[in-house]
């Protein structure tokens, strides 16, 4: 990696603040609605995605059948493919350097779940992607591929921490591009 660790940490700190803000809103997630927090810091772009498992696979507990296990594995594989899901401007020359995807409910068999995993609660997938961009000044758009990858996603609520300030946007199937330039 050629970018500075300090700059990555600052990006993550900015992201952390944005995520805390969301958490303090204290609202349970809404099925069909994903959150996306983006921070640009120098050549580092950090993107955090929070998705209700319902939007991913249609259930929010550990898989119980072979078909559910297959759906879970396919959804996790799609989420790990950050470069396909999050398409930053080609001109900015960004490369995905790390993708972290966490969805404990999907990653363990139902039998291994504590207390029998009754499946009456809500559960999310959390993913964090780090991109290193050679030409960050040319970063003008982000096309979000979550709608194409998951048909149950209806809305993506975006918060962006950009060099020129904070920005919010709501994406829908008919409008899946975030404007990042002024
Ligand atoms: Zn739910």
């Amino acid at each position: 990696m050629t970018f500075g660790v300090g700059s990555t940490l600052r990006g993550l700190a900015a992201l952390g603040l944005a995520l805390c803000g969301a958490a303090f809103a204290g609202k349970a997630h809404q099925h069909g609605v994903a959150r996306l927090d983006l921070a640009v810091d120098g050549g580092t772009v950090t993107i955090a995605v929070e998705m209700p498992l319902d939007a991913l696979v249609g259930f929010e507990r550990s898989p119980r059948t072979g078909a559910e296990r297959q759906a879970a594995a396919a959804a996790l594989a799609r989420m790990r493919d950050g470069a396909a899901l999050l398409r930053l401007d080609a001109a900015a020359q960004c490369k995905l350097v790390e993708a972290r995807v966490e969805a404990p409910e999907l990653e363990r068999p139902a039998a291994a779940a504590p207390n029998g995993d009754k499946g009456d609660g809500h559960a999310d997938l959390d993913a964090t992607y780090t991109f290193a961009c050679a030409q960050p000044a040319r970063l003008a758009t982000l096309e979000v591929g979550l709608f194409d990858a998951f048909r149950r996603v209806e809305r993506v609520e975006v918060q962006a921490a950009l060099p020129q300030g904070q920005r919010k946007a709501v994406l829908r199937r008919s409008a899946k591009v975030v404007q990042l330039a002024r």
Side-chain angles (χ1 to χ4, degrees):
M1 285 187 283
T2 54
F3 55 91
V5 170
S7 122
T8 307
L9 289 178
R10 279 197 303 279
L12 287 174
L15 204 61
L17 287 177
L19 292 176
C20 284
F24 280 130
K27 251 173 63 182
H29 68 211
Q30 214 180 324
H31 292 172
V33 181
R35 288 173 180 279
L36 186 154
D37 289 272
L38 174 150
V40 179
D41 184 5
T44 302
V45 177
T46 311
I47 298 176
V49 175
E50 188 184 294
M51 290 258 284
L53 292 191
D54 182 80
L56 277 180
V57 289
F59 52 88
E60 300 200 330
R61 48 167 175 71
S62 297
R64 288 175 184 156
T65 64
E68 287 185 354
R69 273 189 289 278
Q70 265 185 15
L76 288 170
R78 278 183 168 178
M79 287 304 294
R80 289 187 186 112
D81 190 1
L85 279 184
L86 304 163
R87 298 187 282 267
L88 292 157
D89 264 312
Q93 296 173 31
C94 300
K95 247 187 91 170
L96 181 69
V97 289
E98 190 180 20
R100 252 188 270 173
V101 175
E102 286 172 39
E105 287 79 5
L106 295 188
E107 287 162 314
R108 69 185 174 215
N115 306 322
D117 189 19
K118 294 181 189 69
D120 48 5
H122 290 283
D124 292 297
L125 171 144
D126 289 293
T128 310
Y129 307 90
T130 308
F131 293 85
C133 304
Q135 302 286 341
R138 302 181 69 180
L139 194 58
T141 58
L142 162 68
E143 184 181 342
V144 175
L146 291 171
F147 298 100
D148 303 322
F150 303 102
R151 62 183 173 81
R152 299 169 76 92
V153 176
E154 292 160 17
R155 204 163 85 221
V156 178
E157 296 181 349
V158 178
Q159 287 201 57
L162 305 170
Q164 65 270 33
Q166 301 278 333
R167 181 167 298 184
K168 284 188 180 194
V170 178
L171 303 182
R172 295 174 191 282
R173 221 156 255 283
S174 55
K176 47 193 174 193
V177 177
V178 190
Q179 300 297 327
L180 301 173
R182 198 179 279 274

